[in-house]
Amino acid sequence: LETARDAHSVCFADFMAEREADLKGRRQIGALDEIEADFENVRTAWNWAVQRSAEANLGKMLESLNVFATMRSQSLARQELIREAADRFAPAAGAQGSLLWARLIRPVDFSEYMQAGAQATANAELGLQIAQKAGDKLELARSFAALGRIHYWASDFKAAIGLYEQSQALASNLNDSLLIASNLFGLAECYSLLGQHEKAVELYRHSADVARKAGNRHWLIRVLYNTSGESNMAARYDEILPDIEEGLAIAREIRDRSGIAFGLGNLAGTLITFSSDLERAKEVARQALTMAEEVHDPISIALANSLLGYAAIREGEFVESRRKVEQAEVILENIPAIHFYLLCGLAQLDWLENNMADYQKRFRRLGEIAQGYGSPMHKLFTVAVAALRAEKVGNKERAAELALLVMNHPLSPPGLFSHFFPLFQLKGGLETQLGPEGWATALERGKRLDMDTVFAEEVSSPES
């Protein structure tokens, strides 16, 4: 019986190794379907290899397991298999771990960092040390990239760039197009958060080109979702939805349910922020939540719940809104692109409740994120939220000037002062209190203000 199980384990180790290139190339969907159809055999083969300490078999399966689990939303199954193997091959105290163990403990996705950031960081650093000693260039490149992701998640973008560049210098001479595309994507994310958006877009496009050349459809999903975000930040609002919808179409084609959930979340966020069709936006958010719960994706679950909370702001359901958004914030605060919008919503609620102490804390963080991105959209939203503060301290003329600067700016987000009840209430209240003459005066003054100057003044104000 043991001989048969050994043979079975070898067979499916080879099965997974043979599909590694296909998962990253033109036969991607076929390879995914084949692994999915035989996943119970793969699981059995893996578990037997762990029991027999068959490092070679596990080494053959590991990369394909990681890629398959990402593309077909099998992260929980992957984590279970990896955890058992990592425990089995953990070195004795004071001993050097094997290269296989370093690969097993290497953080793969954000959920690992979110659940245990210090452990994920330690694992990435230790894995890099082991890969350096082993002299395996491919694993060394992957280890640099993994540590780069850790620094990105920790908002240490310059350190992340250095690590991604070290990985890319090695990867350019290795046969792993997904690693190359991933490094380019990671660099783009970092440069975007450092406010270098043209460079970020260039790197995103390069990442997409690498994926297209290899035939890797799945990787395009992530690129498209992020380029839609770049369009948003650049205030090219008509370019946001096409990229999201294309990414969603690919996710559905590949049957990447996590990708579908996150794409629906992106679509719902765009509709809730910019569209007058709130019912459609809420329905898309509910679809995102259902899909995210099915695949146990904590990021997409939190995103969908936060969006339903954001929708509640538009509807005047403030207790429900605060509950949903604050619950989601615990998970999403390490994702600045999403956290920014949560802060905007919560700051509006603070203003309504006259809770200016919490407002100030949120506005400070809001300003930090906006300064990092340095985009027109971030500046416009931040100045709109600053108008709330000016009104609350009694400077109604300044509040009106800021509101009118945003409303009349050529890059102003559509519906900002009509879709969201607190900002709508601010505008209506100021018009009434200042009267037609005072409102007209504020309009003229607002027209003469420079957005960049006003943004810098507001985020550097002592009140911030």
Side-chain angles (χ1 to χ4, degrees):
L1 180 59
E2 286 187 354
T3 302
R5 296 188 74 176
D6 285 341
H8 177 271
S9 188
V10 169
C11 175
F12 277 93
D14 291 339
F15 169 86
M16 292 292 276
E18 289 163 3
R19 282 154 183 78
E20 182 178 328
D22 291 337
L23 288 170
K24 304 172 184 181
R26 301 192 183 283
R27 216 179 68 79
Q28 187 172 70
I29 296 177
L32 288 166
D33 290 345
E34 289 160 6
I35 294 173
E36 189 164 47
D38 259 322
F39 193 66
E40 285 310 308
N41 276 316
V42 171
R43 189 197 303 270
T44 300
W46 177 278
N47 287 334
W48 183 251
V50 171
Q51 187 174 331
R52 301 282 275 183
S53 297
E55 290 196 36
N57 288 349
L58 293 170
K60 287 181 179 181
M61 288 189 269
L62 181 53
E63 178 67 6
S64 291
L65 173 64
N66 287 337
V67 176
F68 167 77
T70 299
M71 293 182 179
R72 280 286 164 90
S73 308
Q74 292 283 355
S75 60
L76 291 181
R78 172 197 163 273
Q79 288 170 12
E80 177 186 347
L81 295 173
I82 294 292
R83 183 168 51 249
E84 292 172 357
D87 289 345
R88 177 76 173 187
F89 288 94
Q96 171 74 57
S98 67
L99 183 59
L100 173 64
W101 182 68
R103 294 175 63 197
L104 289 166
I105 65 171
R106 181 186 299 148
V108 171
D109 57 49
F110 179 61
S111 64
E112 296 172 63
Y113 180 81
M114 183 180 66
Q115 292 164 6
Q119 186 62 58
T121 302
N123 287 349
E125 291 172 345
L126 183 55
L128 175 58
Q129 292 171 16
I130 293 172
Q132 287 172 324
K133 290 180 180 178
D136 186 310
K137 290 185 178 180
L138 178 57
E139 294 308 323
L140 181 57
R142 289 172 176 168
S143 296
F144 276 126
L147 191 55
R149 286 192 295 273
I150 290 288
H151 281 275
Y152 168 75
W153 293 330
S155 298
D156 188 354
F157 307 121
K158 291 182 179 179
I161 288 170
L163 289 158
Y164 282 132
E165 288 176 342
Q166 288 181 80
S167 177
Q168 197 72 332
L170 291 167
S172 60
N173 296 313
L174 300 170
N175 186 27
D176 191 337
S177 60
L178 178 56
L179 178 60
I180 293 171
S182 176
N183 284 335
L184 291 166
F185 182 93
L187 287 165
E189 287 187 306
C190 291
Y191 279 112
S192 179
L193 279 156
L194 292 171
Q196 298 185 44
H197 297 286
E198 290 184 7
K199 185 160 189 169
V201 170
E202 179 185 346
L203 287 161
Y204 280 132
R205 288 174 178 163
H206 191 182
S207 179
D209 289 343
V210 171
R212 287 193 179 95
K213 184 177 179 180
N216 186 343
R217 298 275 290 156
H218 181 269
W219 190 253
L220 295 176
I221 300 169
R222 295 188 66 184
V223 176
L224 287 163
Y225 290 163
N226 278 34
T227 53
S228 76
E230 291 295 328
S231 296
N232 182 15
M233 287 185 280
R236 298 193 300 271
Y237 302 116
D238 59 341
E239 297 178 23
I240 300 172
L241 285 179
D243 279 357
I244 295 174
E245 289 167 345
E246 185 181 352
L248 261 173
I250 297 172
R252 288 179 171 128
E253 173 192 352
I254 291 175
R255 301 199 301 282
D256 172 12
R257 292 183 295 165
S258 288
I260 296 169
F262 195 67
L264 288 170
N266 275 269
L267 177 58
T270 301
L271 295 173
I272 286 170
T273 306
F274 302 122
S275 172
S276 59
D277 191 349
L278 184 58
E279 286 307 311
R280 182 193 172 204
K282 288 166 58 181
E283 177 56 30
V284 174
R286 285 191 286 265
Q287 291 174 15
L289 180 59
T290 298
M291 180 69 74
E293 289 176 338
E294 286 178 5
V295 297
H296 308 286
D297 184 334
I299 304 299
S300 290
I301 290 171
L303 174 61
N305 275 318
S306 73
L307 291 169
L308 290 169
Y310 224 70
I313 297 177
R314 289 185 57 172
E315 296 177 307
E317 300 290 340
F318 303 127
V319 174
E320 177 69 1
S321 173
R322 181 175 290 282
R323 183 182 69 82
K324 285 185 176 295
V325 174
E326 286 186 341
Q327 286 178 350
E329 186 182 23
V330 174
I331 293 174
L332 299 174
E333 62 184 349
N334 286 320
I335 307 177
I338 300 175
H339 192 209
F340 178 84
Y341 286 102
L342 304 191
L343 291 165
C344 285
L346 290 169
Q348 291 180 62
L349 296 178
D350 292 334
W351 175 79
L352 281 173
E353 297 165 2
N354 202 28
N355 180 5
M356 296 311 286
D358 282 346
Y359 170 98
Q360 288 297 106
K361 294 175 186 176
R362 298 191 209 283
F363 188 82
R364 276 195 292 271
R365 180 60 185 139
L366 189 75
E368 290 169 0
I369 296 173
Q371 285 176 307
Y373 278 115
S375 78
M377 181 277 296
H378 284 95
K379 292 176 182 178
L380 287 160
F381 269 81
T382 302
V383 172
V385 174
L388 296 168
R389 179 180 60 191
E391 187 276 341
K392 190 61 71 177
V393 299
N395 194 345
K396 294 178 174 53
E397 292 78 9
R398 175 66 171 176
E401 290 168 12
L402 296 179
L404 286 161
L405 168 63
V406 174
M407 283 187 280
N408 292 294
H409 195 280
L411 300 180
S412 182
L416 183 58
F417 278 83
S418 57
H419 291 165
F420 293 96
F421 182 83
L423 292 174
F424 176 76
Q425 181 173 310
L426 171 72
K427 175 178 176 289
L430 291 172
E431 282 188 271
T432 300
Q433 293 166 38
L434 293 177
E437 185 176 342
W439 187 251
T441 300
L443 173 61
E444 290 305 313
R445 288 177 178 168
K447 287 179 180 178
R448 294 196 294 270
L449 295 176
D450 174 72
M451 175 57 69
D452 290 342
T453 302
V454 169
F455 170 78
E457 290 172 351
E458 292 301 321
V459 297
S460 64
S461 166
E463 295 177 334
S464 298

